[in-house]
Amino acid sequence: MITSKHSLLKKWKFPRLLLCVNKHKPWIETSYHGVITENMDTVLLDPPLVALDKDAPVPYAGEICAFKIYGQDAPFEAVVLNRTSGEGVLRASSPVDCESQKEYTFIIQAYDCGAGPSGADWKKSHKAVVHIQVDDVNEFCPVFREPLYKASVTEGKIYDSILQVEAWDQDCSPQYSQICNYEIVTAGTPFAIDRNGNIRNTERLSYDKQQSYKIMVTAFDCGQKRAKEDVAVHIDVKPVCKPGWQGWNKRVEYEPGTGSRQLFPKMHLETCGGPLSGVKAMVELQTNHIGKGCDRETYSEKSLQKLCGAASGSTDLLPAPSPSTNWTASLLTDSGRDSDLIYRFDGHQAANVPDHVVPQNLTDQFTIATWMKHGPSPGLRAEKETLLCNSDKTEMNRHHYSLYVHNCRLVFLLRRDFTQVDTFRPAEFHWKLEQICDKEWHYYVINVEFPAVTLFVDGVTYEPYLVTDDWPIHTSKIDTQLTVGACWQGQCNQKEPQGGEVATPRFTQYFHGSLSGLTIRPGRIETQKVISCLQACKEGLDINSLESLAKDIKFHFNPAQSVLVVEGEDVDSINTAMTKVSYINSRQFPTPGLRRLHITTTVQCFGEDTCLSIPDIKAVVMVLPPSEPRITITGSNRLVRPAGDLRGPLGVAPFKELHITSTVMKGDSFGGCEPGVMEVMHNLDYCDVLVIGEELNPERESLEIHHSALLGKHLDATNSTSGISIYGVDSMAHYEQALRQVHYRNWRPATLSERRFRLTCSELNGRYTSNEFNLEVSVLHHSAPVEHVNHMAAQPQYMRPVHHPLMIHTLNSHMSAPPAATVVIVVCIAALVVIVVIGVYRIHATHQDGFREDEDGGKDPEEEWDNSALTITVNPMEVKEEEREEEEEEEEEEDEEQVGGMTSAESDNSDEDEEEEEEDEREEMKERKQKGKLEWDSSSITY
């Protein structure tokens, strides 16, 4: 109990003389405990804040003037309410927040007023400790820790707890910060929630009845304050657990040119909670129906061999039918295979290869290669099926070499002549492989290094399981016949109705199956690298981000990358690996259509071989059609050159101004993009220049390309009297360069007026072809001018604009009946042009003859223009009069000719001059001078 100051003063008796002296210091309690409610300023202290001084009732010395607080960041202040009684109060100097700080501790001291009004000689009390506790106010609402809760349940089960929701409160006190209750707001749901937030189902759920539920949940703190926002809870109902892969799509679309495409980005394996020791999944890409087993480049066999770096000199025994390769015209082709040339043999077709095509120089080293698709033939197991056979053409039935299938065994027969070997040597080589009769495409290569023979099937080496020996064939003068699809029997005795026998050669041992790309290369064997390149698939399976796979994951591909096996011990690792399996097609223009996917899975449990049965997966990859390129050939369609240029050592280059471009249509109206044309770059595999009309006469003309024009390119060329063919997989730019180096020569052009050519180019063996570019080469013969009517034609697009004024006048002269003055003006202008031409000729004639051949060989041919569209009428009687003015006009018109670069004049040739064209040029010039006719050498004029 605190004694009041007045009672103390009554007990203490102080002399009046000592009241003005401050002898004692104030006194306060040693400790205080206080409570303050947050956001309030008054502190309730126990005991109350009161200071006493023994100097009372002496003025100043016995009075309390202040309370001072010591402590870091204490948001409080002490105020004296009564100086005489020493009563004070403690209050907050700034807002107090319980969530920021719940308690405060600081020091307080009391000060008296000193010895007088000045406050001098003041004294302070001892230090007292003050503890303040901040009382909480329920100012915050509960808040859920997650914005959305998800869970899944299996149908038909009652769960004690499906999931738990949790809310929290920012208030500082246990009364207001704790969550005392949860409540489901959504009515009519088969769920309940307890005060801890656990949600359970109150009835068995059915997947068929409802597959998912969405309920709203709220929370209350212990002060019964409700959450400001309710939370959504999604509960999915799953059917009764069935082990298997989930989260995959049955159809995956692949857009050409997009690289690698993930097949199963969200797929995972459901094991229904059983403990597993290992998982093995095999992904198989089935492409047997695409081309020859998969998406490969469909270039011609020659172009592919050039692309893969194979040695030259191979002979294609199954080329595309053409006038020069007509022996395959009667064979059945398997169409619709993306321009991939496939021949189908049904046991009734075969072809004799012409003698000039058959390689005649087979040595101890040669290679036979082919694509083959073959299956077992019921009822024909005892009969041979011949792919390739070289046998006697007449009289006998000896087989010199052949390749055939017998009882699903591949056999290669090679009988040498006595001139090559005279001992008992290996002759038949047998291979027994599953691929021979599996009805799938395979690439077979037989490398012969006699006496060793090696077989490659899809790039894998196989040695013969059986080799039989035989004697060499006796030398004879009987010709041999090479056949494809059967064997030629040169002697076949058939009985006639009248009796007797007659020898009738025929085919026998027909082949049943499909062949493509059958070639034979004498003198060399194929390397493993080239074989792998020729049969390589351009599509397959792949795995993205190998470095992100778990360490326990093992995987391996087959050589064609059509089968992928993934193994692992952990289901999560297997799931991660399967999401990275992808499809890739590296062709710029892949074959569109479906590719089937087949996934088989084996699961192992601890101590058991297999414990779960995982159903197989069947899906498809849809390769969308690529944007088809439009190959366009542009350039000058007509070339007019003097006869002298055609007789030159290089002739003329008809395609000097050639350009090849390719465009595709981009954009889709359904995709929201505007369609448009975009130029693309891709390869070509051949360009053919065909002669239109009569074939070339080798005795007086040629169409050829020098070998140096093909150096550094993947190109080759063949020519004949019907044209020239440049082939090989290379860029459009290289084809442009090569075609510009094609030269046409004619060393007897007197009887030639024009030559027409047609150029076409191809990509992917004719899958995409260019426009037909027609070019006409006209020969300009020398002649004397003859008066004739001027028939002005339309101006060619490539004519230079310097001639437009003359063309306009000449054209107008035919559009209406001109008056006499107009006729005179036109004639004068024509005569003036003739004079200019004569002046130009005299200046340049002496320079042109000396270096014309050097200029043709070292420079580009001069610019040409079609002067058939312009005809000038000249009066021969006015020529002499105009020649008098020649010297005055020559210097002015020379400058004009250098700027214009060409002369728009042409004279018709007379019959006499055409006969004189065959004479020597010097005699021809003398003949002109004697006749005094107006002529000039057009070869000196730049067209």
Side-chain angles (χ1 to χ4, degrees), residues 152-176:
S152 60
V153 296
T154 303
E155 63 175 347
K157 289 185 178 181
I158 296 293
Y159 291 83
D160 293 334
S161 176
I162 298 174
L163 79 159
Q164 183 183 21
V165 297
E166 184 181 1
W168 66 289
D169 197 309
Q170 297 184 35
D171 290 315
C172 65
S173 65
Q175 179 183 2
Y176 300 134

Side-chain angles (χ1 to χ4, degrees), residues 105-171:
T105 300
F106 51 88
I107 303 299
I108 191 171
Q109 284 182 306
Y111 290 79
D112 62 15
C113 295
S118 63
D121 195 20
W122 54 265
K123 293 183 182 296
K124 61 182 178 180
S125 68
H126 59 272
K127 296 179 179 180
V129 179
V130 181
H131 297 279
I132 305 296
Q133 179 179 345
V134 182
D135 281 351
D136 187 22
V137 175
N138 193 6
E139 56 184 332
F140 292 100
C141 298
V143 177
F144 286 94
R145 294 191 180 274
E146 300 292 337
L148 175 68
Y149 289 89
K150 291 183 179 181
S152 60
V153 296
T154 303
E155 63 175 347
K157 289 185 178 181
I158 296 293
Y159 291 83
D160 293 334
S161 176
I162 298 174
L163 79 159
Q164 183 183 21
V165 297
E166 184 181 1
W168 66 289
D169 197 309
Q170 297 184 35
D171 290 315

Side-chain angles (χ1 to χ4, degrees), residues 638 640 778 791-794 796 799 865-871 906:
R638 190 175 187 194
V640 182
S778 299
H791 298 285
M792 181 64 185
M799 183 175 291
W865 59 286
D866 186 2
N867 55 5
S868 64
L870 176 63
T871 308
E906 176 184 359

Side-chain angles (χ1 to χ4, degrees), residues 667-734:
D668 187 355
S669 60
F670 295 99
C673 299
E674 291 293 333
V677 179
M678 184 178 69
E679 185 172 352
V680 294
M681 301 300 296
H682 57 78
N683 291 329
L684 300 176
D685 58 352
Y686 69 80
C687 285
D688 290 339
V689 181
L690 299 179
V691 178
I692 303 176
E694 295 183 1
E695 293 189 354
L696 297 175
N697 188 345
E699 295 182 357
R700 64 169 182 261
E701 59 184 340
S702 67
L703 184 68
E704 57 190 14
I705 182 173
H706 197 271
H707 179 69
S708 61
L710 305 177
L711 294 178
K713 306 177 180 68
H714 296 288
L715 298 178
D716 208 343
T718 58
N719 59 348
S720 64
T721 57
S722 58
I724 186 171
S725 177
I726 302 174
Y727 62 90
V729 182
D730 213 331
S731 64
M732 292 186 293
H734 281 179

Side-chain angles (χ1 to χ4, degrees), residues 64 112 143 191 260 360 433 513 641 693 749 769 858 863:
I64 303 301
D112 62 15
V143 177
F191 300 97
S260 183
Q360 302 295 333
L433 304 173
R641 296 305 301 268
T769 56
E863 297 180 353

